Amino acid sequence: MTKVNLDKIQAKGDGNIVSVVGDATLPNGAVVALGELLDGERELFKAVAPEAEAELLLVAAPEVKYDETQDQLDFETKAGTPVRAYHLKRGDMYQAEHSLFEATPTKGQVVTGNATYGYKEAVGTEVTKFKVEALTKFGYDRRDMALLRVL
């Protein structure tokens, strides 16, 4: 499970948030491509694995403790459960945990989405790319995060 921090996301104010459902568990900070509208739904889309030619959306569920009896440090959305996904705009910035990356990110590196809803090094032809602006620590447990800027 992972953490995400929405430092500067324009979608929060512009209303560019959609609901998606994945076939796999989606941790906070995952990136997905938008699939088809689900049958019988008006606003619920299928979350599909990122592809180079697709716009990527950021998965970020509200971190609310629904069960106070459990010690829930991280949040993830189980397969088949709707979750928020943010359309990203050039210049948006957010922090994602290192565990979502194929390899430990480095400052200045350009990354994109991978087939497991995380991040990999970009080759340059992808529609959605992110620059690692800084390596940060976040939360009371000081976990390793990467501050990403949408290119």
Side-chain angles (χ1 to χ4, degrees), residues 12-151:
K12 291 191 298 187
D14 294 344
N16 289 321
I17 302 171
V18 296
S19 293
V20 297
V21 172
D23 288 337
T25 296
L26 297 173
N28 273 353
V31 286
V32 299
L34 200 58
E36 298 290 323
L37 189 65
L38 295 179
D39 289 338
E41 297 288 342
R42 296 180 319 128
E43 299 177 352
L44 188 58
F45 291 86
K46 176 90 167 166
V48 296
E51 297 176 357
E53 62 278 349
E55 172 196 11
L56 302 184
L57 285 73
L58 174 65
V59 172
E63 296 190 12
V64 179
K65 285 189 176 185
Y66 296 107
D67 184 353
E68 293 294 333
T69 63
Q70 293 186 10
D71 182 22
Q72 298 170 320
L73 178 62
D74 301 305
F75 290 83
E76 61 184 12
T77 303
K78 302 288 183 210
T81 304
V83 64
R84 290 180 185 172
Y86 293 82
H87 284 278
L88 299 168
K89 294 184 178 181
R90 185 182 189 113
D92 281 353
M93 296 177 74
Y94 66 94
Q95 295 176 69
E97 193 170 336
H98 282 196
S99 63
L100 289 171
F101 290 79
E102 286 183 353
T104 303
T106 57
K107 184 177 178 179
Q109 182 180 25
V110 176
V111 297
T112 191
N114 68 15
T116 59
Y117 308 102
Y119 302 88
K120 67 178 181 179
E121 188 164 8
V123 296
T125 58
E126 299 86 0
V127 170
T128 308
K129 295 181 285 244
F130 312 94
K131 181 179 180 187
V132 178
E133 291 291 344
L135 301 177
T136 61
K137 300 277 187 186
F138 185 78
Y140 73 87
D141 59 344
R142 309 292 299 154
R143 66 182 63 202
D144 292 326
M145 305 279 275
L147 177 64
L148 302 175
R149 179 173 51 91
V150 180
L151 299 176

